Amino acid sequence: MDSNQFRKEAHKLVDWMADYLEEVEDYPVKPDVEPGDISRQLPESAPEESEPFEDMFEDFEEIIMPGMTHWESPYFMGYFPANKSYPSVLAEMLTATLGAQCMSWLTSPAATELEERMMEWLRDLIGLPETFTGVIEDTASTSTLCALLMAREQVTDFQVNEHGFSGDQKHTVYCSSETHSSIEKGVKIAGFGRQNLRKIAVDETFAMKPEALEKAIRQDLEKGCNPTAVVATIGTTGSTAIDPLEEIANICSKYDVFLHVDAAYAGTALLLPEKRWMNEGIEHADSFVFNPHKWMFTNFDCSAFYVQDEALLVRTFEIMPEYLKTPEDQRVKNYRDWGIPLGRRFRALKLWFVMRSFGVEGLQNKIRHHIRLAEDLTNKIEEHKEFELLAPVPLNTICFRFHPPYISDEQKLDELNEKLLNQIQESGKVFLTHTKLEDRYTIRIVLGNTNLEHHHVEKAWQFIQDRAGNLIE
Ligand SMILES: Cc1ncc(COP(=O)(O)O)c(C=O)c1O
């Protein structure tokens, strides 16, 4: 492909992209495919000879598109969204075109300095104290792993980096029973050992019980363990429960334990001053993560990781082979030492475009709009005689189940709701997901997609009621 053809095809693709985004709500949100349906249509090996772009694009439309789940559809209300926006997509086009690998200042000075400034903008927007410094990682899983590795090196005075874990002492990590699975994964990878992760009980709002945390730390101390890190969550994956940060932070200070805060999804809501209560006590945390790639209209991937002790972070990850040394090393940030991979994408550009294109007010308006849509639907579910809420709704995730009054058997209710969710999923009309809360099968609906409007929520809610009604007829 030469430059002329690239120009021609790129123009066509932009039209395709704009059409797709205008029409995405008309697509079945989940594809009607079985495992293997796509791979069966793909050749088993790469072509020997060049193929025309038209053929590739035709296959994209005929093989790939029918197998896509449409995360951008307003009817995608499952998991947490990975929403995006036009300015973010445009930035990603430029990023791909520049093809810069931003591992150090020298390899892309503008990327490094823009990242630095964007992390400051974001920090101020979500009300983090100025003592925090940020870096963009790929995902919250990576950010949390970095935090756990920092905690490990802090508590062992960098000895694990040097010699690996030694001796019999166990280093324990604490999170609630509702915490995201990435914490357990991080604990495994960082070498703490899964057996040394304590899942602390939650209260009726599914938030960590601070008194249970303190008890667990004391018990571990009595057993000769070394309590090393606590992960508190602002907005759990199941139901967006908010762990009581201030109380948890006090316990961490008392026992000298590293505190990491996972606000992967809900962090975006901190752009709203009225939601800052969720973060009270954050000044005592050692690190904090939130993902603009979930709810802040910025394409996947973009995870904002903040730390109080920049030197600890860099010392945990720094490595300096001869071939990476540059004359500016003492005067600049080399983000390759702020995380796990050496190579780094230019992610700050899309944040810059998103924040400038929306403006703070525009971002706040959209987030408030999503929260209002959720309040409205929450009221409807609460008032409905055959549905029930299963958790508080502090933001825009609603946990509920279908519960006709004449069914009281919990197992039957679980089966009924699982059937309901499967039918909704198979319809391709709305995409919802589930969790278990207090061992009950719980349907989740998350209202955070970029172009979500009241009529989409109305239509989805009507569809859920109709399907539920059909189930018991
Ligand atoms: C609370 C929480 N933490 C962490 C994660 C993991 O996010 P990522 O996919 O960026 O690793 C999620 C994902 O939904 C989450 O909800």
Side-chain angles (χ1 to χ4, degrees):
M1 189 181 287
D2 61 16
S3 171
N4 284 336
Q5 199 194 348
F6 170 72
R7 189 183 300 277
K8 195 178 95 203
E9 301 300 352
H11 281 296
K12 280 201 276 184
L13 285 198
V14 169
D15 281 337
W16 185 93
M17 289 154 75
D19 288 345
Y20 172 74
L21 292 173
E22 278 173 14
E23 293 159 8
V24 63
E25 69 178 81
D26 300 328
Y27 284 74
V29 60
K30 177 193 157 299
D32 184 16
V33 291
E34 291 297 322
D37 279 357
I38 311 302
S39 59
R40 248 192 307 282
Q41 301 176 69
L42 301 170
E44 283 180 6
S45 51
E48 283 299 328
E49 289 174 10
S50 167
E51 296 188 42
F53 184 76
E54 297 85 75
D55 291 3
M56 295 174 217
F57 193 68
E58 195 178 306
D59 285 348
F60 166 75
E61 287 198 296
E62 284 177 14
I63 302 174
I64 304 303
M65 282 303 283
M68 292 303 293
T69 299
H70 295 284
W71 282 68
E72 278 316 295
S73 164
Y75 296 108
F76 184 95
M77 299 171 176
Y79 303 107
F80 283 137
N83 70 17
K84 64 167 169 27
S85 55
Y86 292 123
S88 170
V89 177
L90 292 175
E92 283 287 58
M93 287 161 71
L94 295 177
T95 299
T97 305
L98 293 170
Q101 203 275 61
C102 311
M103 60 187 172
S104 59
W105 182 88
L106 180 70
T107 63
S108 259
T112 298
E113 294 185 19
L114 185 66
E115 180 160 341
E116 214 170 325
R117 187 49 51 88
M118 288 308 99
M119 289 295 93
E120 289 164 7
W121 282 15
L122 259 191
R123 175 192 66 199
D124 298 345
L125 278 189
I126 61 171
L128 278 190
E130 281 187 4
T131 46
F132 280 93
T133 316
V135 55
I136 308 180
E137 307 285 354
D138 53 4
T139 59
S141 303
T142 300
S143 300
T144 293
L145 175 59
C146 290
L148 291 171
L149 292 168
M150 286 169 72
R152 186 190 79 185
E153 291 313 300
Q154 185 179 52
V155 78
T156 63
D157 195 22
F158 301 92
Q159 290 308 300
V160 178
N161 265 359
E162 290 305 316
H163 307 290
F165 275 113
S166 60
D168 291 333
Q169 193 176 42
K170 296 194 182 326
H171 292 273
T172 44
V173 178
Y174 307 80
C175 63
S176 89
S177 55
E178 287 293 318
T179 308
H180 188 261
S181 55
S182 54
I183 285 65
E184 192 164 330
K185 201 179 204 177
V187 162
K188 285 194 329 181
I189 300 170
F192 291 111
R194 216 155 148 173
Q195 299 295 322
N196 297 315
L197 176 66
R198 311 282 183 252
K199 293 199 176 165
I200 306 299
V202 294
D203 64 16
E204 65 290 349
T205 69
F206 305 102
M208 188 193 284
K209 284 182 174 170
E211 62 281 8
L213 170 66
E214 182 158 15
K215 192 169 161 201
I217 291 177
R218 277 171 182 264
Q219 280 172 349
D220 281 329
L221 285 169
E222 278 162 23
K223 283 191 271 177
C225 300
N226 191 340
T228 298
V230 171
V231 179
T233 308
I234 308 288
T236 57
T237 314
S239 68
T240 59
I242 320 286
D243 287 345
L245 199 50
E246 185 94 59
E247 286 164 87
I248 293 172
N250 288 339
I251 295 167
C252 289
S253 303
K254 185 168 161 188
Y255 296 94
D256 199 15
V257 180
F258 188 100
L259 174 60
H260 173 62
V261 176
D262 176 4
Y265 180 67
T268 295
L270 295 169
L271 267 97
L272 308 179
E274 66 270 26
K275 294 291 176 193
R276 293 273 168 80
W277 59 268
M278 301 191 298
N279 234 14
E280 270 166 26
I282 190 63
E283 65 279 12
H284 306 298
D286 294 284
S287 57
F288 173 93
V289 60
F290 102 95
N291 285 352
H293 74 225
K294 286 196 188 304
W295 189 11
M296 216 190 92
F297 320 110
T298 309
N299 283 62
F300 186 84
D301 53 353
C302 184
S303 179
F305 179 48
Y306 286 95
V307 298
Q308 296 260 21
D309 187 346
E310 181 181 322
L312 170 62
L313 174 71
V314 172
R315 198 168 157 200
T316 299
F317 293 105
E318 191 176 41
I319 204 103
M320 189 53 95
E322 191 55 37
Y323 50 83
L324 290 179
K325 287 182 184 158
T326 67
E328 302 83 12
D329 284 345
Q330 298 311 312
R331 292 187 291 139
V332 296
K333 284 190 170 136
N334 287 321
Y335 280 125
R336 63 162 191 268
D337 291 330
W338 290 56
I340 296 163
L342 169 65
R344 307 182 76 250
R345 276 166 32 75
F346 184 10
R347 301 190 188 92
L349 191 68
K350 56 190 169 188
L351 267 179
W352 197 36
F353 279 18
V354 167
M355 285 192 268
R356 294 179 67 184
S357 179
F358 279 82
V360 178
E361 234 179 63
L363 292 169
Q364 289 173 331
N365 288 343
K366 257 223 187 289
I367 298 159
R368 283 198 183 102
H369 172 61
H370 289 157
I371 293 174
R372 267 198 304 274
L373 291 175
E375 281 166 1
D376 195 38
L377 180 58
T378 302
N379 290 337
K380 289 189 171 127
I381 295 176
E382 208 163 17
E383 283 160 13
H384 200 296
K385 290 190 184 61
E386 297 194 325
F387 284 85
E388 89 183 298
L389 291 173
L390 293 179
V393 186
L395 299 167
N396 58 345
T397 299
I398 307 168
C399 293
F400 69 99
R401 69 176 173 178
F402 179 43
H403 186 173
Y406 53 87
I407 305 180
S408 55
D409 183 273
E410 284 295 328
Q411 198 185 332
K412 280 210 177 93
L413 284 170
D414 282 356
E415 285 164 11
L416 190 66
N417 280 279
E418 188 171 355
K419 208 164 160 189
L420 174 60
L421 183 73
N422 288 341
Q423 287 198 5
I424 291 170
Q425 213 68 301
E426 273 160 30
S427 74
K429 300 240 186 274
V430 185
F431 192 101
L432 304 179
T433 49
H434 82 283
T435 187
K436 281 219 163 167
L437 292 174
E438 286 177 326
D439 222 24
R440 295 155 157 179
Y441 192 93
T442 303
I443 301 180
R444 293 165 76 258
I445 181 162
V446 187
L447 303 179
N449 243 316
T450 310
N451 294 318
L452 187 69
E453 292 301 337
H454 188 256
H455 67 273
H456 299 121
V457 183
E458 280 289 286
K459 203 164 154 190
W461 172 227
Q462 190 55 54
F463 184 71
I464 295 165
Q465 292 173 84
D466 291 348
R467 282 293 156 129
N470 289 346
L471 268 184
I472 51 166
E473 258 172 18

